[in-house]
Amino acid sequence: MVEPSFAERSVINHRDYLTNGLIVTSVATNVTDTDVLTADGRRISYDYLVIATGHMDLVPVTKPERLHQYKADNQKIQSADSILIVGGGPTGVELAGEIVTDFPDKKVTLVHKGPRLLEFIGAKASDKALRWLKSRKVEVKLEQAVDLNSTTSVYKTSTGETIKADCHFLCAGKPLASSWLNETILKTNLDGNGRLMVDEHLRVKGRRNVFAIGDITDIPELKQGFLAQKHAMVVAKNLKLLMSGSKESKMGKYECGSATALVSLGRKDAVAQFPFATISGCLPGLLKSKDLFVGKTRKNMGLQP
C-alpha cells in the first residue's frame, strides 16, 4: 500500500509454484467423509483432507485486481494530509510505521481498542513500538473504538473524541473462516471459539484422515505465518508417511512455537521479541524490514527471489 511496486514480488499466483497439482478457485461449502463440495458445483473426492482456511480476508481474487487495489490505496495515502489507522496489532503498527517513514509530513492517528499495542506479544515489545511511533509524531489513542461510518472527514471515538482524517484504513483482526464448517461433518470438531481441535500430529481429533493447519487450529500459540509454515511441514511429512503405508506410530508431532515475534517499524527498524530478550532498532530491522521475508519465501517456493 505504501510502495505498490513491492506487491509485484509479494503477490504470487499459486500456479507459479504449485506446478504438479490441480487448483480450484472457489468457495468450499461442505465436507463429507469422502468429498469436498464447492460453490461452483464441484465435488472433489479425497483420501486425505487438510483444512487451512485461516481468517476471512475479503481481498480480490486475481493478481491484477490485487495489484490494482494496492495502487488505489497508495493513491489514498499520497493524496491525504491526515490518515486514520484503526487497529494496533502488527498490521496497523507496521502500516503506520511505513507511512510516517515515507511521508513524514502526513498526520497519522492510530486508534486501538486494547490497553496496549501489539497485545499478542509482551508488554516490553509493545512499549518499544509505542515509543518509536510517538517519536515519529504518530498520535496513538488506546482503549477506544471508532465509528467508521462518517460521511465527512471527522470520525468519532467511543470516548466522545473527534478525529479529523482525510482517509482511514481498517487493520483490526479478522474473523475465523470456519463458520461454513458448522454445516458439515466437522461441526462437532470445533471448539467454542470456532477453531478446529487437533491432536499432536495436527490431525483433527476423532478423524483419521483430516488434518488442519494455521490460524484455524486450536493450538495455544501466536497466530503467525511462520508457525503456519511449520504446521504445513509436519502435516506434509505425516501425509507422505500415511500414504506410503507406514505405521501411524511413526507420525511426526508438532511442538508449540516459542513466543517469538518480529514487527517492522518503517524501512530500517523493527521490534523483536525472543524467548531470551526483547530488542528494537536497526538490528532486528535487518532481519525483516528490508524485504519482509518476501525474497526468502519466493526462494522456498522455487521462484526467483
Side-chain angles (χ1 to χ4, degrees):
M1 292 161 61
V2 180
E3 185 183 348
S5 60
F6 187 74
E8 191 65 45
R9 290 172 58 242
S10 61
V11 179
I12 303 168
N13 284 321
H14 294 304
R15 289 181 178 83
D16 292 345
Y17 65 91
L18 194 60
T19 56
N20 189 27
L22 172 66
I23 298 170
V24 176
T25 305
S26 187
V27 177
T29 58
N30 197 6
V31 176
T32 71
D33 288 319
T34 56
D35 302 280
V36 172
L37 282 66
T38 65
D40 61 356
R42 290 177 182 254
R43 180 180 289 269
I44 305 167
S45 61
Y46 68 87
D47 296 309
Y48 294 94
L49 175 65
V50 182
I51 298 178
T53 47
H55 282 82
M56 292 183 67
D57 199 1
L58 301 177
V59 296
V61 173
T62 69
K63 182 172 181 176
E65 290 171 340
R66 187 83 63 92
L67 297 180
H68 177 75
Q69 182 188 51
Y70 288 141
K71 289 179 181 178
D73 288 336
N74 180 259
Q75 286 299 315
K76 279 173 60 176
I77 293 171
Q78 293 215 42
S79 61
D81 292 322
S82 53
I83 299 165
L84 169 63
I85 296 174
V86 180
T91 303
V93 169
E94 290 189 342
L95 177 59
E98 289 193 20
I99 291 175
V100 295
T101 297
D102 282 20
F103 305 99
D105 294 333
K106 296 187 184 297
K107 171 64 177 174
V108 176
T109 303
L110 189 153
V111 180
H112 181 57
K113 66 179 181 180
R116 62 182 177 89
L117 300 176
L118 306 175
E119 290 174 275
F120 74 110
I121 53 178
K124 186 178 290 187
S126 296
D127 291 341
K128 289 180 181 294
L130 178 62
R131 286 199 298 270
W132 189 94
L133 290 174
K134 285 187 173 181
S135 72
R136 271 71 176 178
K137 298 182 180 178
V138 175
E139 186 174 359
V140 178
K141 296 179 181 292
L142 300 173
E143 299 185 270
Q144 295 187 52
V146 183
D147 180 4
L148 297 177
N149 295 318
S150 173
T151 55
T152 64
S153 296
V154 179
Y155 300 85
K156 289 187 177 181
T157 74
S158 54
T159 62
E161 290 188 49
T162 58
I163 300 170
K164 291 183 179 181
D166 297 324
C167 67
H168 74 269
F169 293 98
L170 179 60
C171 301
K174 302 176 179 67
L176 276 173
S178 64
S179 60
W180 67 283
L181 292 170
N182 287 316
E183 307 299 325
T184 74
I185 61 169
L186 298 177
K187 60 184 178 183
T188 59
N189 300 106
L190 297 168
D191 67 8
N193 296 314
R195 302 186 190 278
L196 279 171
M197 297 179 284
V198 295
D199 62 18
E200 57 191 357
H201 308 297
L202 298 181
R203 190 162 49 177
V204 174
K205 290 181 178 179
R207 303 282 170 180
R208 300 197 65 179
N209 63 339
V210 181
F211 293 80
I213 62 174
D215 291 0
I216 201 170
T217 65
D218 69 336
I219 299 172
E221 64 184 358
L222 301 178
K223 301 302 181 183
Q224 295 184 284
F226 81 97
L227 293 178
Q229 178 69 20
K230 289 186 176 182
H231 294 187
M233 298 299 288
V234 172
V235 169
K237 176 183 176 181
N238 289 339
L239 287 172
K240 289 165 105 176
L241 184 145
L242 291 172
M243 288 189 287
S244 68
S246 298
K247 295 180 179 179
E248 290 190 10
S249 59
K250 294 184 178 181
M251 289 172 62
K253 298 179 181 179
Y254 177 73
E255 297 181 2
C256 286
S258 58
T260 300
L262 193 57
V263 178
S264 293
L265 298 171
R267 300 287 183 180
K268 298 180 179 179
D269 296 331
V271 58
Q273 174 180 283
F274 301 109
F276 54 86
T278 298
I279 59 175
S280 62
C282 59
L283 184 58
L286 289 172
L287 297 175
K288 181 180 181 184
S289 299
K290 185 177 181 180
D291 82 336
L292 306 177
F293 299 134
V294 170
K296 179 181 178 181
T297 302
R298 291 182 63 89
K299 185 176 180 181
N300 289 342
M301 289 178 165
L303 304 174
Q304 286 290 329

